[in-house]
Amino acid sequence: MEKTYVVIPKNCTGCRTCELACSMVKSKRDEAGALGKPRIHIYPTGPQRYMQMTCLQCVDAACVKACPSKALVLNEETGAVEVDEERCVGCGLCEAACPFGHIRFDRDLGLPLKCDLCGGDPACARFCPYQALEMRP
């Protein structure tokens, strides 16, 4: 059964637990054990209001179309657009092509950072204490 990643802004308190969970699960830690950059970001939109910004996993994704090396591919099982790090040439066109600004190019790594839904079980949704992020059937 296919699941859908759902963002529910009205439930977000801005606690940023999702960012921490993402950093812990997805980052490549350095020797000092420092966390990397999350694939989800929380932005204030008003008094005690927040918006979670992460890849929308577009069906007709502009980032996929813009990638000259075909390094962005759809995972048919999870529905997520994933980065094939071996194919990525580090051009950054994916970041420029995303109309929502939800893919970021990490200049240090030479790779795009984008949500891949953690293989269908996103850590951000699993650890959100307010159910502001969910995977629904």
Side-chain angles (χ1 to χ4, degrees):
M1 181 187 318
E2 189 172 312
K3 292 184 177 183
T4 303
Y5 182 67
V6 180
V7 175
I8 309 162
K10 69 178 182 148
N11 290 357
C12 183
T13 65
C15 71
R16 302 178 78 173
T17 301
C18 57
E19 289 181 348
L20 182 60
C22 182
S23 290
M24 300 260 322
V25 170
K26 289 306 206 184
S27 61
K28 295 178 181 174
R29 293 183 176 217
D30 63 17
E31 290 156 11
L35 293 177
K37 299 170 186 163
R39 276 59 167 173
I40 186 168
H41 302 276
I42 305 303
Y43 295 99
T45 59
Q48 306 218 349
R49 296 183 70 187
Y50 303 90
M51 172 62 79
Q52 312 94 313
M53 302 294 281
T54 190
C55 181
L56 299 174
Q57 308 301 343
C58 301
V59 173
D60 191 26
C63 60
V64 172
K65 290 179 180 178
C67 182
S69 63
K70 308 288 186 230
L72 294 173
V73 293
L74 177 67
N75 179 322
E76 297 287 340
E77 189 175 312
T78 66
V81 174
E82 298 177 349
V83 178
D84 180 341
E85 294 181 8
E86 297 296 318
R87 296 182 102 176
C88 182
V89 296
C91 67
L93 288 174
C94 53
E95 179 182 51
C98 179
F100 307 106
H102 294 179
I103 186 167
R104 295 175 180 207
F105 194 81
D106 185 314
R107 305 284 184 255
D108 296 331
L109 293 174
L111 294 168
L113 299 180
K114 68 168 301 304
C115 175
D116 63 3
L117 298 178
C118 294
D121 186 22
C124 58
R126 201 170 56 241
F127 288 99
C128 178
Y130 302 101
Q131 291 77 48
L133 302 160
E134 296 180 349
M135 285 299 284
R136 294 184 181 166

